[in-house]
Amino acid sequence: MRHKHSDYMHWSKTQSRARFNLATSGVALFPLRELPVNLKELEINGDNSYGYAPLQQAIAAHHGVDPECVVESAGTSMANHLAMAAIIEPGDEVLIEHPAYGPILDVADYLQANVRRFRRAEENGWAIEPAEVRRHITPKTRLIVITNLHNPTSALTPESVLREIGDIARSVGAFVLVDEVYLDAVYEETPRTAFHLGPGFVVTSSLTKVYGVSGLRCGWILATPDLAWKMRCLNDLYSATPVFPGELLSVAAFKHLNLLRERARHIVEADRKLLRNFLAEQSAISAVRTDWGTTSFVRLPDKDADAFLERLRSEFDTSAVPGRFFEMPDHFRIGMGMNTEMFAEGLNCISRALATEMP
């Protein structure tokens, strides 16, 4: 039987909440009342059979691409599913980074792919080494999948490395799928999308993580026009037609992206400063430092992170994401960007829990 569930998503929906919630991955929710939009212009129905043209154009302008290359989707998770389903067939070989965001592996398993892995090394700052990709690719590889920024570590893969990965993929006729949902959390000199690196690149993203409008489910795929059309047709089997009021509000969000991003940026940067000071004072845990992103992947050496996090939640009402969902059981992921006062209290709870750990 096919793999038909996501352990991580079930945990996230049912067990991640706590008074001090560090299990988030996106920024604070942006309230509708602060979005400059005339609600009288909202409509329930409209012309959006294969995408709403103003939204297609807004996404295209954001990335500097042709609107024909844009495929709307219900968030990045559906974008990843749709992109992979359009590219691979059962039994095709897919090369995926390790550690990886669990639902990406779940989709590959559901699509009955033959999954191979290449390693991101913590001792190398979680960076992708093209030589490592080259060691694990084969003539049967149809797709390489990476996240940039990396989920869960927020490591940035520079364009020079992406180009090398593209060359490696091209040598065997494979595509490169890059999930860029966190990329706009590089606030200074934000890199351009990898889609510009050539027709072998397929990119997914959304407004869900960096902009605080997750409820709109505004996601998209960037692909060559022929592949984009294939994805639109395939989506007739999934979500078929988007929610039109959500598309209208998404267009309004695109008109004010700087407002949304800057609102979150101040919180993220304040939280990152707190996190750096916190890690500098701790000897029991460590994390690779980054200057961007909304998540950090913390190592708890020689400890059962699951047991620690269970106690953290039950005794200190604080949550973080177990590393087992990223295949790293001695780690846990914490999120920044929700509320700095809450974040500080959460870090304090982690410190107290570490101080009372049994030797």
Side-chain angles (χ1 to χ4, degrees):
M1 180 176 287
R2 286 188 178 193
H3 181 99
K4 295 183 179 180
H5 67 280
S6 167
D7 289 337
Y8 167 70
M9 289 306 303
H10 179 72
W11 178 90
S12 177
K13 291 178 177 181
T14 62
Q15 300 179 52
S16 67
R17 291 175 178 82
R19 180 183 179 189
F20 306 114
N21 186 355
L22 306 188
T24 59
S25 58
V27 301
L29 302 181
F30 192 93
L32 178 60
R33 64 181 177 273
E34 294 184 21
L35 182 65
V37 59
N38 184 0
L39 295 181
K40 293 181 179 180
E41 295 179 356
L42 280 182
E43 293 290 348
I44 295 175
N45 305 296
D47 183 8
N48 64 344
S49 295
Y50 283 105
Y52 180 50
L55 181 55
Q56 301 277 119
Q57 292 161 5
I59 296 168
H62 179 63
H63 290 295
V65 304
D66 191 301
E68 289 299 309
C69 297
V70 176
V71 183
E72 290 182 38
S73 70
T76 313
S77 290
M78 178 52 78
N80 287 331
H81 187 134
L82 185 57
M84 292 173 70
I87 292 171
I88 66 173
E89 299 291 340
D92 279 352
E93 189 173 282
V94 179
L95 183 58
I96 302 176
E97 63 192 8
H98 179 284
Y101 176 56
I104 288 177
L105 292 171
D106 295 330
V107 169
D109 287 339
Y110 175 74
L111 295 173
Q112 299 179 306
N114 176 17
V115 177
R116 292 172 58 86
R117 312 301 299 280
F118 70 90
R119 178 173 177 258
R120 287 177 176 256
E122 184 169 13
E123 59 269 24
N124 194 33
W126 302 111
I128 295 178
E129 289 288 343
E132 173 73 1
V133 177
R134 190 174 286 107
R135 274 194 295 271
H136 290 88
I137 201 167
T138 79
K140 297 180 180 179
T141 302
R142 176 66 172 159
L143 182 66
I144 300 172
V145 184
I146 67 174
T147 54
N148 191 34
L149 303 175
H150 182 221
N151 186 5
T153 71
S154 291
L156 173 66
T157 301
E159 187 169 298
S160 58
V161 173
L162 291 169
R163 285 186 182 279
E164 287 192 64
I165 294 170
D167 290 343
I168 295 168
R170 189 162 48 252
S171 72
V172 297
F175 287 92
V176 182
L177 173 60
V178 187
D179 177 336
E180 293 182 346
V181 70
Y182 294 101
L183 189 60
D184 282 356
V186 181
Y187 293 108
E188 298 292 336
E189 299 181 356
T190 308
R192 66 175 183 167
T193 176
F195 183 66
H196 291 294
L197 299 180
F201 282 86
V202 176
V203 166
T204 58
S205 192
S206 72
L207 298 182
T208 60
K209 298 299 183 183
V210 178
Y211 295 98
V213 287
S214 176
L216 294 180
R217 310 312 303 154
C218 178
W220 58 86
I221 308 163
L222 303 181
T224 56
D226 57 336
L227 185 54
W229 177 246
K230 181 179 179 181
M231 292 175 183
R232 293 189 196 101
C233 293
L234 179 57
N235 199 34
D236 284 341
L237 304 180
Y238 297 143
S239 55
T241 305
V243 176
F244 187 65
E247 291 176 308
L248 292 176
L249 288 172
S250 296
V251 171
F254 268 102
K255 291 178 180 178
H256 304 283
L257 278 189
N258 286 338
L259 171 66
L260 274 64
R261 193 164 79 144
E262 287 303 308
R263 180 180 185 273
R265 175 180 181 172
H266 295 300
I267 304 173
V268 172
E269 292 183 343
D271 288 359
R272 192 186 319 284
K273 183 177 180 180
L274 288 173
L275 178 64
R276 286 174 180 167
N277 293 336
F278 169 76
L279 290 171
E281 296 170 356
Q282 297 293 328
S283 59
I285 58 176
S286 62
V288 173
R289 171 175 169 158
T290 66
D291 296 319
W292 41 73
T294 65
T295 64
S296 180
F297 205 40
V298 180
R299 184 168 180 256
L300 187 65
D302 305 318
K303 296 286 186 181
D304 181 348
D306 267 16
F308 173 76
L309 293 177
E310 283 293 328
R311 193 169 71 85
L312 182 68
R313 187 179 180 196
S314 63
E315 297 181 18
F316 298 91
D317 207 359
T318 302
S319 62
V321 182
R324 61 185 162 90
F325 293 123
F326 305 92
E327 310 161 287
M328 304 289 287
D330 60 344
H331 287 66
F332 59 92
R333 191 189 73 181
I334 63 176
M336 297 168 278
M338 292 294 291
N339 178 290
T340 299
E341 182 178 354
M342 182 272 290
F343 187 76
E345 289 296 328
L347 293 181
N348 181 53
C349 288
I350 293 176
S351 181
R352 289 163 56 201
L354 289 170
T356 56
E357 276 282 276
M358 296 295 290

